[in-house]
Amino acid sequence: QLVESGGGLVQTGGSLRLSCAASGSTFDDYAIGWFRQAPGKEREGVACFSSSDFSTDYRDSVEGRITISINNARNTIYLQMNDLKPEATAGYYCAASGKYGLRRTRNDYADWGQGTQVTVSS
């Protein structure tokens, strides 16, 4: 079970750190992704992480402003978001996949959290 937290209301230019906790387990041997979905839009990938080699990948539009990382216990994934813009307003979801390597598309993921809302005011 994946549990997200850390969303909220922030002004343009502000920062938020989202967390995704693996309840009762770790993220060893999993690929992890963060996705977002704005009202009326499709869910899109924001960042992904591979626990096999700690590699990461980011959506072009957010690269340089977002960092995905894992804690030492390997049971929580973070999404640090800086210099937030109103277009980042969306529900943010973490997902886990048992497939090897970086997974960039939502069809690769079987397990999803309930989401956490991020609202960026202008």
Side-chain angles (χ1 to χ4, degrees), residues 61-79:
S61 62
V62 302
E63 192 155 14
R65 296 185 290 114
I66 284 185
T67 304
I68 188 171
S69 61
I70 192 168
N71 67 343
N72 289 336
R74 302 192 185 189
N75 59 7
T76 302
I77 294 284
Y78 301 104
L79 187 71

Side-chain angles (χ1 to χ4, degrees), residues 1-7 17-28 30-34 68-79 92-96 111-116:
Q1 183 182 4
L2 304 177
V3 180
E4 300 101 329
S5 62
R17 189 177 77 160
L18 307 184
S19 300
C20 173
S23 178
S25 64
T26 70
F27 286 117
D28 287 343
Y30 281 91
I32 309 302
W34 278 100
I68 188 171
S69 61
I70 192 168
N71 67 343
N72 289 336
R74 302 192 185 189
N75 59 7
T76 302
I77 294 284
Y78 301 104
L79 187 71
Y92 282 72
Y93 301 84
C94 69
D111 298 314
W112 292 83
Q114 83 289 350
T116 185

Side-chain angles (χ1 to χ4, degrees), residues 7-12 16 84-86 88-90 92 117-121:
L9 174 65
V10 64
Q11 291 184 336
T12 296
L16 282 174
L84 283 163
K85 303 180 187 304
T89 295
Y92 282 72
Q117 178 67 31
V118 171
T119 303
V120 185
S121 64

Side-chain angles (χ1 to χ4, degrees), residues 84-106:
L84 283 163
K85 303 180 187 304
E87 52 263 39
T89 295
Y92 282 72
Y93 301 84
C94 69
S97 168
K99 297 180 180 180
Y100 179 83
L102 292 171
R103 295 292 163 177
R104 297 172 178 83
T105 61
R106 60 183 182 181

